[in-house]
Structures are given as structure tokens and as C-alpha cells.
Amino acid sequence: MTDTPFRSDFLRTIEARGAYQNCTEPEALDALLGNVRVTAYIGFDCTAPSLHIGSLVQIMTLRRFQQAGHKPIVLMGSGTTKVGDPSGKDESRQLLSTEQIEANKKSILRIFERFLTFGDGPTDAVMVDNAEWLDKLEYIPFLRDIGRHFTINKMLTMDSVKLRLERDQSLSFLEFNYMILQAYDFMELYRRYGCRLQCGGSDQWGNIVNGIDLGRRVADAQLFGLTSPLMTTASGAKMGKTAAGAVWLNADMFSPYDYWQYWRNTEDRDVGRFLRLFTDMPSDEIARLEALQGAELNQAKKVLATETTALAHGRTAAEQAAETARRTFEEGAIDEGLPTYEIAAEKLKGLALTSLAQMSGLTASASEARRHIEGGGLRVNDVAVKDVKAVVGASDITGKGVIKLSIGKKKHILVKPV
RNA sequence: GGGGGAGUGUCCCGAGCGGCAAAGGGGACGGACUGUAAAUCCGUUGGCUAAGCCUUCGUUGGUUCGAGUCCAACCUCCCCCA
């Protein structure tokens, strides 16, 4: 937080939305943003086939940057992914093959089109890949030009390095170089695109500052850094973990319905904060929503779910998810928008319920289904099953031609005989 | 190069006299209570054709009726000395 309020649209918004943590030379950056069109970037490494909601604050930051009339750069880090970022990790990640990295990159790209407008215009977003310059670096020239500006003394004090050393965990020389490459990225983006600002999570502060220093020394540039707070839920959990794994942004890895549900189940205490961070809703409307008390707050959660889903998957998908949820939870009806598993009708006859639960993906194994039956958590057409050896048959098929299997209150799947 | 230590249930941390599907946490999931929330309490947390059978403790062999536990080699990591 700064003493003087920001004047530029971008910084005012970022701060009001709760995405402001720290900034280098805030006054100078504020003035710059107020006067000219600025180019900023955020890097995303290609460690998985999709980004998850842990990256959402960063994506929203770029979106707001563009909305404020500036030019965002999405930097795909397929070059740096080959090295591996040691920040915030206890041990080194398994090295990914270049094919894997390339495949991940292609898969990740798609999500950005939802949040940003790409093109050739002055404020259109641009996508760049750092492999473009990192892959071609030559070792000795790089060491002489760039390496000489880094001291080991200082690098050893960086959190990402220090934590590893303090915990007696190994840090390979490969990973040790990550911060240098990220610093180099910033400088290279300045040279190529006149990029002056790098944003990132608070764990990236050190890496960002390194880039600023390098830019000043080598390119005589005045660069800026801006970080957002690390996102956790009010109960302290890291954002985005569910039983099924991460909350992915790609629809083929985490369906819009599940995505909607994830936000719908936000803790009370987080609703206002999440509305500010993850939606475009005006602040006064958010203030009204988060002031709701008790069960009324569920209204705010529905808005949160629909708005976040609309951003990531489109308005239509969001409204479908909302409608499916409404019918399922509020009417107790069977809605065809629920995940559906098709099975040949003749196979269904006399099939053990535990097997069907497994086949349909409701549970990971028949044993898990069995345990849920023993614990009273598995239902067929909303009726709890008591017998572990229960068998499904034609009589279970409802008027809608499907069988509804549920575990708990929230996990439902439709089995459709064909 | 020499000496010492570590690797446990495919989420994590962590006990483990030769009888072990393997203590205890955390997390997650299910039940009760609620508001599809939190907190709390209870239960579950290898697989299967299920009073039985099969696969698990870094890897590969060995000793033994029987190995997470003992032996050997190897892999990875950490510490001390050089």
C-alpha cells in the first residue's frame, strides 16, 4: 500500500480489486501509466496442459491492464519451462520433454483468448514465446554479456534459492539459472516491444527485480515491477485444489459445470474478495452482494459462479451451468446438463451398482463405491443405497430415460442406456 | 576420493522387536448439523469375482516357513572430511 492514492486507472483498479501487493517505484509507474500507453507482460510456464485458477489473478491483471488502455503481452515460457522455476517449490520438478512442453503450450494458449483481445492494434494483446530467444543463446557470450551482472552473493540471498539451501534440499545448477533467464526475458521484451512493466505473483518479486536491474545495466532502461498477493482461501488453503485435482481453466480438463460449482462453493468469508478479484462487476454492486447475510449470501455466490464461468467459458456455458445447478439443487430434478455416461442397455441389466459407479466415473474403483454405500453416501435416483451388492435394472430408469447416481450432495452423474 | 545418514501406503508429513495391508497426523472424501458455506462431531482414505485372494515400503538379487524390517549390489539425496 502506498501513502498517496494512485491516479492512473490501472493501478487504482488493481488496488481496489485487491490484486495489488507490491510495486517498484509506485509514483513513477503511476505517472507513466497516466501519461502514455504502456506495455506490460506476465510470463506463464508450460508445465501442464492447462493453467489453473492459481493463474487467474495474473490473467485478470492483464485483462485490466488492457481495459485501462494499455498493451498486454502474454509470455509463454516454453524456454524457461525447460529449466524449471525453483520459486516456491520444495524440490525440483521432473524435467519435461520439449515435445511435452510444446503440447502444453498449444493447449494453454486457448484460454487467453477468452480474457484478452489479440490483434495488431495499439492496445491489442500479443503472445510471445521466450524459446524464441532463449533457445538460441550461446553459452560464453551469454555469460559475458549477462552473467557478469549477476553476483552469486546476491543470488544466494534470493528466497527461491535461500529456502532450498536452508532446508538442505538440493538445487541444481540448471534451476539456479532460472532467475537469470527470467531477468533476461524482461530485458528482451523491452528491446523488442518496449515492454516496461512485469507483473506477477508475490513469489515472483525477486525474479522481477532482477529483470529491472538487468534492464537498467544493460539496456539503460527504467523498468517496473508489480506483484499481486498470493491467493489462498479464508481458511488458508491454496486456491484451486479439489478432490479431482486442480481447478483447470481448460474446459476439456474441468467442465464449465464443475467450474461453476467450484465458485458456487466459495466460503462465505471469501465471496466479496473473490468477486472483486475474479469478475468485472462494478464495485458498488459487489458491495451490495457481499453485505447479504446468512443464507442470502448464496445469491452472491451464484453471481460469483456465473460471472467467473462466463469469463472462462463464455456466457452461454455459464448460464447453462447455472440452470443445471438450479434444477439439480433447488428443484431436486434431473437435469440433462449433468455429466452423462452412456452405456449399452443390455449391459446394464443386472449390473452391480459398484461396477456401474466405477464405469461411469462416479468413483475411481468399485471398492470406493462399496465404501460409500457402507457409509451411506451413495444414492440412486436420490435414494440412499444400503446394500453393497445392489444391482441396477430397468426399474431404476426414470421417466427421463436415465439413472441418476450421486455421491454426497454435490456429485451427480447420469447413466443413460442406449 | 574417504566417513556418516536417508529413501515407507502414487496427496503430503511420518512411526515401524522378522508375522504387516503396515501406528499417528495433515489434507481429501462421505455421514450428522446447516445455507451446495464455515465450525463441530462421527466414519472412510490399496485392488478384486470380497469371512477369501492379489499387489504395495528407492531398484535388483539373496538369507528365511515368512522380509518394510536381515545381507549384497545398484540408483537418488543429505551431512562431515579431502
Side-chain angles (χ1 to χ4, degrees), chain A residues 244-255:
Chain A
V247 179
W248 303 106
L249 296 177
N250 281 19
D252 53 353
M253 291 176 69
F254 200 75
S255 75

Side-chain angles (χ1 to χ4, degrees), chain A residues 44-336:
Chain A
F44 299 88
D45 275 358
C46 311
T47 49
S50 168
L51 297 176
H52 55 85
I53 59 171
S55 301
L56 208 49
V57 176
Q58 306 316 323
I59 298 173
M60 289 302 288
T61 297
L62 285 182
R63 179 178 172 86
R64 289 181 172 132
F65 191 69
Q66 185 168 49
Q67 285 169 344
H70 300 288
K71 188 177 187 70
I73 295 177
V74 175
L75 180 69
M76 297 309 293
S78 73
T80 34
T81 307
K82 292 171 190 166
V83 170
D85 184 3
S87 304
K89 292 191 192 65
D90 279 353
E91 39 195 63
S92 43
R93 196 186 280 268
Q94 185 115 39
L95 277 181
L96 296 165
S97 69
T98 48
E99 296 78 38
Q100 188 65 57
I101 291 169
E102 195 55 29
N104 287 343
K105 177 185 148 192
K106 282 196 180 120
S107 181
I108 288 172
L109 292 180
R110 293 178 283 159
I111 197 70
F112 286 101
E113 288 167 10
R114 295 274 186 196
F115 289 86
L116 300 170
T117 306
F118 289 87
D120 299 324
T123 67
D124 282 344
V126 183
M127 189 163 295
V128 190
D129 186 340
N130 63 13
E132 216 174 293
W133 51 84
L134 294 182
D135 276 1
K136 288 186 286 206
L137 288 178
E138 295 179 310
Y139 198 57
I140 299 297
F142 181 74
L143 289 179
R144 285 177 63 92
D145 294 342
I146 306 300
R148 67 194 176 98
H149 296 292
F150 289 83
T151 67
I152 294 290
N153 315 50
K154 191 174 167 198
M155 288 169 77
L156 290 176
T157 68
M158 305 293 291
D159 274 352
S160 57
V161 172
K162 200 171 63 182
L163 285 172
R164 285 280 191 90
L165 297 182
E166 277 173 0
R167 293 182 194 170
D168 291 344
Q169 283 149 343
S170 71
L171 175 74
S172 68
F173 181 66
L174 177 74
E175 294 173 282
F176 188 59
N177 279 270
Y178 188 92
M179 66 172 95
I180 298 181
L181 296 180
Q182 184 168 339
Y184 183 76
D185 278 348
F186 198 175
M187 195 190 71
E188 193 65 21
L189 286 169
Y190 169 73
R191 283 177 168 161
R192 294 181 179 221
Y193 299 93
C195 178
R196 302 283 301 274
L197 172 65
Q198 180 181 180
C199 306
S202 54
D203 58 333
Q204 294 298 313
W205 178 258
N207 289 340
I208 293 173
V209 170
N210 274 335
I212 294 172
D213 285 346
L214 185 66
R216 188 178 56 245
R217 289 179 186 178
V218 177
D220 198 28
Q222 188 192 20
L223 305 178
F224 299 92
L226 174 69
T227 57
S228 57
L230 188 70
M231 278 309 124
T232 55
T233 67
S235 20
K238 268 188 207 155
M239 293 259 325
K241 294 284 276 183
T242 69
V247 179
W248 303 106
L249 296 177
N250 281 19
D252 53 353
M253 291 176 69
F254 200 75
S255 75
Y257 172 76
D258 286 331
Y259 193 79
W260 194 94
Q261 281 296 326
Y262 175 81
W263 293 105
R264 172 64 184 82
N265 284 296
T266 296
E267 292 178 32
D268 286 8
R269 295 178 284 176
D270 287 326
V271 174
R273 191 163 59 102
F274 287 180
L275 277 168
R276 273 187 286 278
L277 279 166
F278 301 117
T279 75
D280 283 338
M281 295 191 70
S283 297
D284 51 353
E285 177 66 5
I286 292 173
R288 186 186 71 77
L289 285 169
E290 71 176 331
L292 295 171
Q293 293 299 311
E296 292 282 294
L297 199 54
N298 284 332
Q299 292 309 314
K301 292 185 189 181
K302 288 180 204 167
V303 173
L304 173 66
T306 301
E307 293 306 310
T308 49
T309 307
L311 276 173
H313 302 296
R315 181 64 58 181
T316 312
E319 277 164 8
Q320 274 169 7
E323 180 58 12
T324 295
R326 191 186 67 76
R327 290 212 203 117
T328 303
F329 288 95
E330 292 174 28
E331 294 179 6
I334 292 175
D335 187 88
E336 48 287 347

